[in-house]
Every structure is written in C-alpha cells, then in structure tokens.
Amino acid sequence: MNARETILARLRAALDPAPAPVTVPRDYLRDGQVDLDLLVDRLTDYRAHVHQVAEPAVADTIAGILPVGARVVVPPGLPPAWLPATVTVRADDGHDNSEITAVDGVITAAAVAIADTGTVVLDGSPDQGRRVLSLLPDLHICVVRAAQVVANVPQALTRLNPHRPLTWISGPSATSDIELNRVEGVHGPRTLHIILLP
Amino acid sequence: MRRTFLGMPTTAPAGVGQLRGAESFPAAARRALGDAQLRRNLGHATATIRAKSGAVIGEVPDWERLRAAGSAIKADVLARLPELLEQLEQRVSAAGGVVHWAADAIEANAIVVDLVRATGSDRVIKVKSMVTQEIGLNEALEGAGIAPVETDLAELIVQLGEDRPSHILVPAIHRNRAEIREIFLRAMPGVDPGLTDEPAVLAAAARRFLRQTFLSTSVAVSGANFAVAETGTLAVVESEGNGRMCLTLPRTLITVMGVEKVVPTWRDLEVFLQLLPRASTGERMNPYTSMWTGITPGDGPQEFHLVLLDNGRSAVLADEVGRQALHCIRCSACLNVCPVYERTGGHAYGSVYPGPIGAVLSPQLTGVVDNASLPYASSLCGACYDACPVKIDIPELLVHLRDQAPHPRAESAVMAAAAYAMDHPALFAAAQRATRLSRLTGRRGRGLPPPLSGWTAGRDLPDPPAQTFRQWWAQR
C-alpha cells in the first residue's frame, strides 16, 4: 500500500459508520447594494489613499502622486491615456525581479473591489499583469471603475475566476506581529493609492 | 513497525515534530506564571486583539449565520473527506501541480527534503505555517543541509531569538517591542545599530533584511488556509506580503497542508474569508490573500507541489465527538479569550497548537496518553466556544478527552465509594456528618492527605458547612 492508499483507507475506516449527510445553511447575506462611500471609508480606514476622479483626470492624478522623473512599471495592457508625461514608464515585458524592485512604483487596474471590506482584487488580466509587478515596488497605484465594485465578499467570488492567479489587497502591507497592533509597511508596497472612477 | 495496522486510523508518531511537550502542562504552567514580563506582554496583546476583533465582528449583522454555515461546511468536509481529497488531487494535477501524500511527519519531511534537493537549492524561504512547525520541517531541512528562512515577522523574531512559537497567529506574542529590538540587534546581520523599538522601525528592519533573500531563493515552502476541491485552488491568507513573496518569486513552490484543510466548492470561501480575518487579527480583511490554481505560465512558480498530510488526523476523525477539532481554521480567537492561555502563554502547552484548541487537538493527534494533562488546561468557562468562528464546542471536547485520559487508581476508588454512598441514603448522611470533623483539623485551604493529595494540588477543598441541609431540615 502506498501513502495515498494508506491515508484514504485510514480516512474511510475513520468514517465507519458513515456520518449523516450535512446540509449547509446559506441564509447569510449575499444581496446588498454597492455603496461607494463605504468603500472609500473602508479603504481610508486601512491607510489607503483614495482619489475619486473622472477617467480623463487619471493621468493628472498620477502626476500629482509621483514626483517628476519617477520610474514606474506598468502591465502591458494598461490604458496609455492613464499615464502622465512626467514619469518614465516601462511596460512589463518579463523584466527580471531586480529591475522591478528598483522602480519607484507600479500602476495597475483591478478586477473587483469589495466595499464591505475595503478590498481590491487583481486577477492577472493584461491591465493588471503578473503578480510580481504589484508586489516588489514600494508604491502601488490601482485604478478601479465603479462598475467593478461589489457590496460584499460573496458577490466578489461570483465575479472572480478561480483559474486565474488572484491577489486580494486590503490596504498597504501591514503586520500585527508586534504587540498585536497593526503597523503599516513590511514587505509589500508600503503606500497604496486607489483611483476610483465613476 | 508503525505500519502494523496499515489502513487503520493512526496517531502522529513520537520523536519528530512538535506535538508533545517535555513536561506536563501544570509543571510548565507553574514556571510560566512566575514570569511577570510574560504575563504583562500577553495581557496587553490579548486585550488589544479582543477589543479589535469584537469591534469588527459587531459590524457584521449575519455573523451567527456565517458561523453556522462555516461549521456545517467543515462537518460536510469531514463526512466526505476521502472523495474531496481525490477530487482536489485530480484538479491540482490537471492544472499542472504535483500531489504527494504523506501518512505522517516523517514521510512529509522526506518528501519536502527530496523535492528541495532536486532543485539544487540549499535554502528555502518559508511562509508562516502551523503544519510545517507541527512536523518539524525546519529541523529536517537543516539536517539535510538546507537552510530554512522564516519570513513572517513573528516567525523571524522566534527564529532569530532561538525561541519557540507561543501563539498560532502571532508566534512571538510573548515578546514586547523592547525585547524584539534586542533580538534584532543581537542576531540580525547588518542591522542598523541605531534601531529603535518603534514597531514601524522594527518592521522596516525586517523588510531590508529579507528583501535580498526573497529575490535570490529559488524554492519556497508554504502551508495553506484553504484548498478548493472543485477547482484545485489553494489560498493563503496573510498580512505582510512575505507570503506573496514566497508564493510569487521562486521557481518552485512546495505547499504542505493537513488533509482537513480542503473545502468542497469555490463558493465556500465566501464564508471563511468573512469569518477568518475578523476572528483572527480583528480586521475586516487581512492585507493580502493569494489564490492560485496549479501553474500559470509566465506568472509565479513554474513548479508546484502539494503535500497532503495525515499525521494523526485520521485518528481524530475516527472519534465521532472529537472530530470537530478538525473544523479549526487556525484563527486563534480561542487563545485570545482564554483566561488560562492569557496567564500561562503558549509554551506551557508543549505543542505548536497552544490554547484551548491545542488542548483538544494535540492530545487527539498524539493519542491522549501522550498529552494527558492538556485536557485539564482549562477552567471550562466556555469563552472559547463563544469565540470560535466555526463553533467548535471545545468545553465538550475537553470533558470528552478528560474521560479518555488515564486516571489515578485513588481517584477511581474515591469515585466508586462516592457512588456507593450516594446510592445509600443512611451512608450518605453519615458521610456528610463526617465531613464536619475536618473542620477540627485546621483552616480552610488545606489539601487532602495522600493518596488523594493529587486532587487538591490544583483545587481548593471547600470548607464543609457547620450544619448540613438534612440537619437544618430536621430541626425546622
């Protein structure tokens, strides 16, 4: 008997007599209207900086966040109109990690945002890119459209595709490891800006 | 030898990993109680987390319904565990992962060591993982000449301090900021000698220290919070981004998970991703959650191994009452509300699983005889049951396991005598009168004489009344 058969035989023996079938009660909340003010409140509470602007103002908003001459990396499918002329842009073409860690920031879109928890989810689509892009730079600017915002976690899972690599982000990198107090800024980006479009 | 009962539920082997303490809980707890600094640190930290967690749970109108759903999903998982594991194996394999099965800690460690050796790397970066602590993976890797680097801040504090973890979520909860600064100054290569004890400064020191290691290590080892049988998706929930580093940067990722971590469907995550962060760190959502399904070409590790571990879980599953301990999602809410844990800290429990859940999980994984004092490491106050996001009835389990623990012969003799007396009213009345004689022997608080002294070592003997109820009734 190999380990697989051994374990499965043990588990089957442990379940004899068979337990009664279980029905899972699903009466928890799934419905709910999207409340953009709640999203902003939740994001701000976890020290993300929120900018509510119309789409034509994205480039100017980013120009206000990044100093002139800042170097940013962007996923290949990011709308070029979002990028200000004041920064040096490198579209990701498989840069090695040391190059990505050396830039001043990264700009991505998002797949879904969750108002209830102040979360944005990235799914590796062309306007979000490889996971490493939003990980190594110290500053992350994430552009979210109102239509991508859902009310709660159940609604988010309905929209997401489990076969894509998913990164759920709720505020900047943080830790509670020192006396159980939340401190922002460990290994991920220490500064998170969310640009929320109507 | 340990394969004698092949295919029968089996407890975790001794001599490997960290499920058994070197001494009993009362002995270890007595020493811990003498450490005033430890008690201050724990009191401060657990009070902080209780307040945070209570506030964000209070925001959720359907919390009790989520708890009921979480509990039922876990009961369903256990009832169908073999078929769900086979489905998970099939889906992970179809997505480009390789699934390994490990009957115990020894097999799991051997699998991981072989996988790391095959990559040629002499170092691995690790995401904080209870299960790899449970099996003693770091010791096994070191024994094979492979350096494991813990990347979670608290695990790093423990590793640099040559210490042991004392909490499921925050392994260095027993250290305050001043102690952490001292550990960093002593043991972190290249640290700024002007380091202060500001938490943000300490966190920044860990960021600088680990960045190059993240970028230059080709193998990572992680645990898993959830694995979805329906899709083959793995999920790791974290705060700092060290998890994302380990799950994204290396070429090879090895994930070790206990078999009970599987959930049936993608939709089930909607329950646990609401329960876990609020019960655990007291956040609406933890900063980062990573989910991956097999391999994604051009993004993240290009080689993924999943090790499915039994190591005593089949023995827990075999106990119809005890199996609910396998519902645990390792949030540590029960530790933070436990009056015993708050005073003794985690080390006294001996196992990597401390606190109330550890007191019911560790003895079941090892067999009760090997952790016989743990089911008594509780006042049965029930705070753990109220706090548990998946409704594990820990007090019920504690009593159930006390029943299985070996009992001294004197105790059985006294219980038998008491039962006989209670069956015979005249004898019972005489016994009650006799207790009054003990009032003549001295002040309250004295223990019983041997062989019954063991019973009173941890309990006060109640002062017998001057008059029994029967005597009072007879005089009316």
Side-chain angles (χ1 to χ4, degrees), chain A residues 26 28 30 101 162 173 182, chain B residues 211 240 268 270 283 287 293:
Chain A
R26 303 270 183 184
Y28 49 84
R30 304 178 56 83
T101 208
S173 160
R182 181 167 166 134
Chain B
R211 180 57 66 115
E240 297 166 14
D268 294 324
E270 72 191 19
E283 293 165 306
T293 305

Side-chain angles (χ1 to χ4, degrees), chain B residues 34-240:
Chain B
D35 185 342
Q37 184 67 54
L38 173 76
R39 292 180 61 176
R40 263 197 303 278
N41 294 354
L42 283 169
H44 173 67
T46 54
T48 304
I49 193 75
R50 283 196 299 268
K52 278 173 63 185
S53 182
V56 293
I57 287 173
E59 288 176 1
V60 183
D62 57 340
W63 183 253
E64 289 305 320
R65 281 172 276 168
L66 286 166
R67 284 179 82 205
S71 177
I73 292 168
K74 286 291 185 176
D76 180 40
V77 165
L78 297 185
R80 300 192 287 132
L81 194 51
E83 67 173 82
L84 291 173
L85 291 171
E86 287 176 303
Q87 187 185 16
L88 177 69
E89 176 187 44
Q90 193 267 324
R91 297 298 146 87
V92 169
S93 306
V98 182
V99 177
H100 309 260
W101 300 71
D104 57 35
I106 299 163
E107 290 189 9
N109 288 337
I111 290 168
V112 176
V113 166
D114 284 350
L115 289 171
V116 177
R117 278 193 174 139
T119 68
S121 178
D122 59 1
R123 183 172 66 195
V124 301
I125 44 178
K126 286 190 68 206
V127 190
K128 183 180 135 36
S129 136
M130 293 307 298
V131 75
T132 60
Q133 296 270 4
E134 172 193 323
I135 63 177
L137 179 63
N138 286 4
E139 291 76 10
L141 289 168
E142 284 162 0
I146 300 161
V149 181
E150 294 289 354
T151 64
D152 170 76
L153 179 55
E155 291 283 9
L156 181 68
I157 294 164
V158 167
Q159 194 174 39
L160 291 177
E162 295 176 7
D163 200 355
R164 287 190 296 123
S166 71
H167 189 274
I168 290 175
L169 171 72
V170 192
I173 192 171
H174 55 291
R175 299 291 192 188
N176 65 23
R177 62 184 74 186
E179 294 170 289
I180 295 166
R181 173 178 172 270
E182 282 170 30
I183 291 169
F184 280 11
L185 285 175
R186 191 173 66 238
M188 185 181 275
V191 73
D192 173 7
L195 190 74
T196 70
D197 66 0
E198 267 303 300
V201 173
L202 295 169
R207 177 184 173 99
R208 270 193 306 278
F209 172 65
L210 284 175
R211 180 57 66 115
Q212 198 50 43
T213 305
F214 282 132
L215 291 172
S216 60
T217 307
S218 62
V219 187
V221 176
S222 83
N225 290 99
F226 309 102
V228 181
E230 175 188 48
T231 59
T233 307
L234 276 290
V236 165
V237 168
E238 53 132 355
S239 293
E240 297 166 14

Side-chain angles (χ1 to χ4, degrees), chain B residues 26 31 58 97 142 185 201 231 257 263-264 297 311 317 336 357 422 429:
Chain B
R31 204 175 43 256
E142 284 162 0
L185 285 175
V201 173
T231 59
M257 64 171 252
V263 298
N311 204 40
L317 186 66
N336 301 332
I357 187 62
M422 286 175 186

Side-chain angles (χ1 to χ4, degrees), chain A residues 17 22 31 44 47 49 55 60 74 110 113 116 126-127 151 170 174 180:
Chain A
V22 179
D31 302 334
T44 310
R47 308 281 187 276
H49 305 276
E55 183 151 8
D60 282 350
V74 301
D116 221 9
D127 57 1
S170 307
L180 278 175

